[in-house]
Amino acid sequence: MTKKQRRYEEDFKRQTVRYILEEAKSVAQVARELKINENTLRGWVKKYKKEPEISETQTLRSEDHEVRELKKRIRDLEDRGSQYASNDY
């Protein structure tokens, strides 16, 4: 008995790759969530992550991460500054 091969629309594939990149989830995790073969998803990621609209998503995610890290550093410096100021008086 042969297994019927499922076909997925291109838009679904792109959305799935974008989801993997935006949510920073592993391919394996998303494969389990969607009940899709992990190797199938890896192929989609390899194919679609080079497209400008999807690679832009990946760039924005890394920039968002950088912004969060910088905000955290600013808060830490502000906390140190207020601790220093309170010790002076």
Side-chain angles (χ1 to χ4, degrees), residues 7 9-10 20-21 50 68 72 81 83 86 88:
R7 301 253 183 234
E9 292 186 17
E10 293 296 311
I20 291 168
L21 297 174
K50 296 175 185 174
R68 283 192 304 273
K72 182 179 178 220
Q83 289 172 356
S86 66
D88 272 356

Side-chain angles (χ1 to χ4, degrees), residues 14 19 23 37 39 45-46 56 63 66 79-80:
R14 285 183 179 92
Y19 174 71
E23 300 299 321
N37 183 288
N39 290 327
V45 170
K46 184 177 180 179
E56 181 179 302
E63 288 174 356
E66 184 178 354
D79 288 346
R80 288 183 196 166

Side-chain angles (χ1 to χ4, degrees), residues 1-12:
M1 180 152 77
T2 61
K3 218 176 190 182
K4 187 175 179 180
Q5 188 175 11
R6 290 190 276 179
R7 301 253 183 234
Y8 300 96
E9 292 186 17
E10 293 296 311
D11 191 48
F12 175 77

Side-chain angles (χ1 to χ4, degrees), residues 12-26:
F12 175 77
K13 294 175 185 180
R14 285 183 179 92
Q15 288 177 357
T16 303
V17 171
R18 190 176 293 117
Y19 174 71
I20 291 168
L21 297 174
E22 285 177 352
E23 300 299 321
K25 290 188 173 188
S26 71

Side-chain angles (χ1 to χ4, degrees), residues 6 8 12 16 19 29-36 41:
R6 290 190 276 179
Y8 300 96
F12 175 77
T16 303
Y19 174 71
Q29 183 178 0
V30 174
R32 285 190 301 272
E33 288 176 11
L34 299 177
K35 295 180 174 60
I36 297 175
L41 284 186

Side-chain angles (χ1 to χ4, degrees), residues 8 13 59 69 82:
Y8 300 96
K13 294 175 185 180
T59 302
E69 288 296 315
S82 64

